[in-house]
Amino acid sequence: KQEVTQIPAALSVPEGENLVLNCSFTDSAIYNLQWFRQDPGKGLTSLLLIQSSQREQTSGRLNASLDKSSGRSTLYIAASQPGDSATYLCAVRLGAGNMLTFGGGTRLMVKP
Amino acid sequence: GAVVSQHPSWVICKSGTSVKIECRSLDFQATTMFWYRQFPKQSLMLMATSNEGSKATYEQGVEKDKFLINHASLTLSTLTVTSAHPEDSSFYICSAKGQTSNQPQHFGDGTRLSIL
């Protein structure tokens, strides 16, 4: 059974810092991995999708890397802003038709 | 980009009421839709997966007769919480995925259900 773990569970940083969120998964035979953002009381917004054959994806100040062999992914946020405050979730899919398995999330607070 | 619309966003009703939540994919055909439940400060728990035109597949521990799922078209799925009770109060989120397997899965904004 695939298990997804996110560390840290919560993070508070001052504005402007670069930060790294970690995601690890137990079954390395994944199909793809997706990072999401969730604001309080809202649904999920897809940030980045990394296919199993890819090593990283970038979107603006966000960069996600994938190391399948070690079962890890990181989400790098450059020059953090208060508007980045949210919960960040990573999720992996084992096969094309399989469901997403979510980590517990990292609650990020960026202080002005 | 792809959009998933979920309605209503917030429901407050009396115990015993049945509540229907709609999930629509606005600009793509959702061959598969997922329904999740989320408790405060916890991650998403998958309740069921539905493919258009077929019966939903429920996760272990989810009551089929309590949570009725219909996926009659490629753009609409509904979740009906039958005879809702206070313990059914939660945040319900739908998600949709198209036919192309390497595309991201998109989520609705969620429905906050409060049963009095």
Side-chain angles (χ1 to χ4, degrees), chain A residues 21-74:
Chain A
L21 308 182
N22 297 293
C23 173
S24 61
F25 43 94
T26 54
D27 187 340
S28 62
I30 65 170
Y31 185 77
N32 59 35
L33 182 146
Q34 203 165 345
W35 280 94
F36 296 89
R37 167 184 174 143
Q38 185 177 29
D39 292 288
K42 297 291 186 180
L44 276 65
T45 300
S46 180
L47 298 174
L48 290 164
L49 170 68
I50 309 178
Q51 303 297 341
S52 61
S53 58
Q54 298 173 324
R55 295 190 66 85
E56 67 175 351
Q57 283 287 318
T58 298
S59 176
R61 293 183 294 108
L62 305 179
N63 175 278
S65 67
L66 174 64
D67 184 342
K68 274 182 54 178
S69 61
S70 66
R72 293 182 181 179
S73 176
T74 60

Side-chain angles (χ1 to χ4, degrees), chain B residues 7 15 19 30 37 41 49-51 66 85 88 92 95 108:
Chain B
H7 177 81
S15 183
V19 179
R37 184 172 181 175
K41 296 187 178 181
T49 302
S50 71
N51 292 298
K66 178 73 170 177
H85 289 94
D88 299 323
Y92 293 86
S95 179

